[in-house]
């Protein structure tokens, strides 16, 4: 494919709009067949090889169908044509104009802003950036920008690159890249250490050879993880959704674990018991929006590795009833009991939007599993089974919208401040202009 196009930047005005990940994920989540939609997108591309929206949507569709590598190839083709994609807000008049700054990559690479703005008056322009690739000469005017790139080893150079770009940004920027970069598992542990009422097991990054030496009895785990003692938790660096996560009870079991894992680096921490009196494990997903906590889900499982999709929440009416009670009492119970911890997390991370996966120890302390700026938050669960979720998620989405509004009121640096009447003035590497090019 060799489409005739100018340097990747603003999209063309003509053509069908982007469907977007949120709508496509909703179709997949409902169990509908994505095949017919895939065929329609392929037909559009056969008619116009430069249809970047079709290529980007097709990339998302095939990734949702489990074809990650093909999806990434299609995404790269789309980004060769243009790097900016728009989802129009629902408002007839002027709504919030949000510029999201994203990393190329799979569906786990960025905070899925589309879920947070779905059905709102927020117009989302998604700009994909990479080090070494020229920044678009022109960007659409916007009220604020938000860094959606998640922390991973792969993304650290990109986050540093974005940090240089936003130093002179002419609009407010939320979720600063240098603060996102601190949220590796060991980095978040360092940020939150010594916070009262909170259990944050020391997490160390260990290379494969060192981990092998512990397994062979040549080194003690306590020499590397100060509070480490078996059982320990081991996971590959940059792994998500429990991939490669294991509880290891003895040094010898480390060797068995490594025989099945090809990775070169791992995170190691002590295992903390958090089983409830009924023998069940409970994991809570909470987002802090401008420092205020909002519950997004609670999963109950008989396994210490708790994932909402595999915890049996759909199958168990009693689990859903418990989650509904947790939602109803969250502000007056959980959030009140852990108020100081949640405030401390908000202050230490210094992010306008950040997610927490956590549990509670038998002593009632807050046990932190993960802190991340890109935890998935959505309202796709079927209403007939989860009627309590829609009101709660609307509350989350309203809070997100209000956070954006409040952020637009913040002053920007004097050398970057502009008047909207002069939206085509140059600022460093780019110019603000109307969508479609100026």
């Amino acid at each position: 494919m060799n489409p005739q196009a100018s340097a990747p930047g603003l999209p063309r005005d003509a053509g069908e709009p982007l469907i977007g990940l949120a709508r496509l994920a909703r179709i997949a989540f409902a169990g509908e067949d994505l095949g017919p939609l895939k065929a329609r997108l392929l037909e559009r591309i056969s008619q116009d090889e430069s249809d970047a929206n079709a290529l980007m949507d097709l990339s998302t569709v095939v990734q949702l169908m489990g074809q990650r590598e093909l999806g990434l190839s299609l995404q790269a083709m789309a980004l060769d044509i243009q790097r900016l994609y728009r989802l129009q807000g629902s408002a007839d008049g002027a709504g919030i104009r949000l510029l999201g700054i994203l990393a190329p990559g799979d569906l786990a690479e960025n905070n899925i802003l589309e879920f947070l703005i779905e059905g709102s008056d927020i117009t989302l322009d998604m700009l994909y950036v990479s080090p070494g690739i020229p920044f678009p000469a022109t960007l659409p005017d916007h009220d604020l920008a938000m860094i959606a790139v998640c922390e991973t080893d792969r993304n650290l150079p990109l986050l540093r690159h974005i940090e240089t770009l936003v130093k002179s940004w002419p609009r407010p920027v939320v979720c600063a890249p240098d603060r996102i970069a601190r949220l590796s598992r060991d980095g978040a542990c360092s940020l939150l250490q010594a916070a009262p009422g909170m259990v944050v097991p020391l997490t160390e990054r260990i290379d494969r050879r060192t981990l092998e030496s512990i397994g062979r009895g040549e080194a003690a785990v306590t020499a590397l993880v100060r509070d480490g003692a078996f059982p320990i938790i081991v996971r590959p660096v940059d792994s998500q959704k429990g991939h490669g996560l294991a509880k290891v009870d003895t040094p010898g079991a480390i060797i068995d674990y490594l025989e099945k894992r090809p990775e070169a680096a791992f995170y190691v921490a002590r295992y903390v018991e958090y089983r409830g009196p009924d023998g069940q494990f409970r994991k809570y997903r909470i987002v802090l929006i401008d420092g205020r906590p909002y519950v997004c889900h609670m999963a109950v499982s008989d396994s210490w590795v708790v994932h909402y999709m595999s915890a049996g929440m759909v199958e168990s009416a009693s689990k859903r009833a418990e989650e509904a009670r947790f939602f109803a009492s969250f502000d007056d119970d959980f959030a009140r009991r852990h108020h100081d911890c949640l405030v401390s997390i908000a202050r230490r991370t210094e992010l306008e939007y950040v997610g927490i996966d956590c549990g509670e120890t038998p002593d009632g302390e807050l046990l932190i599993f993960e802190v991340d700026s890109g935890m998935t938050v959505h309202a796709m669960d079927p209403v007939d089974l989860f009627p309590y979720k829609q009101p709660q998620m609307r509350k989350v989405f309203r809070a997100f919208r209000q956070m954006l509004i409040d952020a637009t009121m913040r002053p920007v640096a004097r050398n970057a401040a502009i008047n909207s009447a002069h939206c085509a003035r140059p600022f460093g590497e780019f110019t603000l202009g109307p969508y479609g090019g100026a």
Side-chain angles (χ1 to χ4, degrees):
M1 186 180 295
N2 184 25
Q4 299 298 313
S6 59
L10 290 171
R12 306 169 305 166
D13 289 324
E16 295 188 37
L18 187 74
I19 299 171
L21 173 56
R23 285 176 59 193
L24 294 171
R26 188 175 290 278
I27 294 170
F29 199 80
E32 297 180 30
D33 182 10
L34 288 168
L37 179 54
K38 177 183 175 182
R40 289 197 297 273
L41 291 168
L42 285 168
E43 174 62 23
R44 280 175 53 188
I45 295 165
S46 71
Q47 298 296 320
D48 181 2
E49 291 184 337
S50 65
D51 189 341
N53 282 343
L55 281 165
M56 186 60 78
D57 282 332
L58 183 59
S59 165
T60 301
V61 166
V62 298
Q63 288 187 70
L64 290 170
M65 297 173 75
Q67 298 172 282
R68 177 181 180 273
E69 295 307 318
L70 176 58
L72 294 180
S73 296
L74 290 163
Q75 183 190 80
M77 294 165 67
L79 294 178
D80 279 343
I81 300 168
Q82 66 188 46
R83 293 195 157 255
L84 193 69
Y85 294 83
R86 167 167 288 188
L87 287 172
Q88 182 66 47
S90 62
D92 294 331
I96 302 168
R97 301 167 301 173
L98 174 63
L99 179 69
I101 299 179
L102 285 71
D106 63 27
L107 303 182
E109 210 70 44
N110 301 288
N111 185 354
I112 305 178
L113 300 179
E114 297 177 47
F115 285 147
L116 295 167
I117 60 110
E118 191 178 16
S120 75
D121 65 345
I122 300 169
T123 291
L124 174 63
D125 287 319
M126 294 171 285
L127 175 66
Y128 290 82
V129 300
S130 299
I133 295 179
F135 201 72
T138 304
L139 290 179
D141 199 5
H142 51 281
D143 299 307
L144 75 166
M146 180 170 179
I147 313 305
V149 179
C150 295
E151 185 283 326
T152 64
D153 270 18
R154 294 183 304 276
N155 283 342
L156 287 178
L158 175 57
L159 287 167
R160 288 192 289 268
H161 174 64
I162 294 171
E163 186 178 358
T164 65
L165 294 176
V166 300
K167 281 181 178 177
S168 59
W169 206 264
R171 297 286 187 262
V173 176
V174 297
C175 293
D178 58 323
R179 295 171 185 173
I180 293 173
R182 301 183 300 183
L183 297 184
S184 63
R185 292 185 185 273
D186 53 340
C189 169
S190 298
L191 274 180
L192 302 181
Q193 277 299 312
M198 194 186 315
V199 177
V200 189
L202 286 173
T203 301
E204 295 292 344
R205 179 175 174 144
I206 296 177
D207 63 68
R208 186 181 187 90
R209 181 175 295 181
T210 302
L211 192 56
E212 286 175 343
S213 71
I214 296 173
R216 291 193 298 265
E218 299 168 357
V221 68
T222 51
L224 298 162
V225 183
R226 293 194 308 277
D227 68 348
F230 287 97
I232 60 173
I233 299 298
V234 184
R235 72 174 78 223
V237 169
D238 283 353
S239 64
Q240 292 292 334
K241 303 184 186 302
H243 295 306
L245 175 64
K247 179 161 71 78
V248 178
D249 296 315
T250 65
I254 292 176
I255 302 301
D256 296 335
Y257 170 81
L258 289 175
E259 287 178 353
K260 304 171 186 175
R261 304 304 314 176
E263 293 86 2
F266 300 84
Y267 287 123
V268 176
R270 67 182 171 93
Y271 172 76
V272 177
E273 182 61 70
Y274 71 105
R275 191 193 317 261
D278 60 355
Q280 297 291 292
F281 298 87
R282 290 164 176 82
K283 185 179 80 171
Y284 314 104
R285 175 157 296 180
I286 296 163
V287 292
L288 298 174
I289 304 177
D290 264 349
R292 180 171 179 175
Y294 298 85
V295 60
C296 296
H297 71 228
M298 181 197 78
V300 184
S301 175
D302 57 6
S303 169
W304 69 272
V305 182
V306 184
H307 293 291
Y308 197 89
M309 296 298 292
S310 60
M313 300 299 292
V314 170
E315 296 80 6
S316 174
S318 63
K319 289 182 178 181
R320 297 195 302 274
E322 181 179 346
E323 184 180 35
R325 291 193 297 272
F326 184 75
F327 277 28
S329 65
F330 178 80
D331 288 343
D332 294 326
D333 184 6
F334 187 97
R336 189 177 297 274
R337 286 189 288 111
H338 298 298
H339 172 270
D340 292 349
C341 295
L342 296 170
V343 168
S344 180
I345 293 170
R347 288 177 176 170
R348 295 182 184 210
T349 57
E350 300 181 279
L351 289 164
E352 296 87 347
Y353 179 93
V354 66
I356 313 162
D357 276 349
C358 58
E360 288 184 297
T361 69
D363 294 333
E365 292 183 297
L366 189 67
L367 173 61
I368 303 300
F369 300 133
E370 184 178 6
V371 180
D372 190 0
S373 64
M375 287 184 180
T376 302
V377 173
H378 64 79
M380 295 189 296
D381 295 288
V383 177
D384 58 333
L385 290 177
F386 300 90
Y388 53 90
K389 280 200 170 183
Q390 293 297 319
Q392 177 62 24
M393 297 317 299
R394 285 195 294 270
K395 183 190 296 187
V396 172
F397 301 154
R398 284 195 300 268
F400 181 77
R401 181 181 182 277
Q402 187 60 52
M403 179 270 288
L404 297 180
I405 292 172
D406 292 345
T408 64
M409 305 300 166
R410 294 203 308 244
V412 292
R414 180 181 298 274
N415 65 348
I418 66 171
N419 186 287
S420 59
H422 300 92
C423 63
R425 278 182 60 189
F427 282 88
E429 299 182 59
F430 65 90
T431 296
L432 292 178
Y435 194 79

